[in-house]
Amino acid sequence: MKKNVGTIDRVIRLVVSVILAYLYFSDIVTGTLGIVVLIIAGVFTLTSLVGTCAIYALVGMSTASKKENP
């Protein structure tokens, strides 16, 4: 699959996912909202590690530079 997530975007996604995971595991966000937050954190982590975002692909968007995407 073609990479469409740039380096800065990947770092931001990882930072946001760490913050969201912290909110969940420290019981600041609980219940259904907590589960949703944890799922979003997982998706952000996965997309930042893989470098591909399905939503970006659907709308034809890319934050990856030409150098990152051969």
Side-chain angles (χ1 to χ4, degrees):
M1 208 178 229
K2 198 165 141 182
K3 293 189 186 274
N4 59 4
V5 180
T7 304
I8 295 172
D9 195 2
R10 292 169 90 169
V11 170
I12 291 171
R13 286 171 185 258
L14 275 177
V15 169
V16 169
S17 68
V18 167
I19 292 169
L20 292 176
Y22 172 77
L23 291 174
Y24 177 77
F25 288 115
S26 63
D27 288 332
I28 295 173
V29 179
T30 59
T32 305
L33 181 60
I35 293 170
V36 170
V37 164
L38 193 60
I39 291 170
I40 292 171
V43 169
F44 275 10
T45 302
L46 181 66
T47 58
S48 67
L49 293 176
V50 174
T52 303
C53 178
I55 295 174
Y56 281 7
L58 284 174
V59 296
M61 186 175 149
S62 176
T63 59
S65 66
K66 300 292 182 195
K67 200 177 354 173
E68 293 174 358
N69 198 5

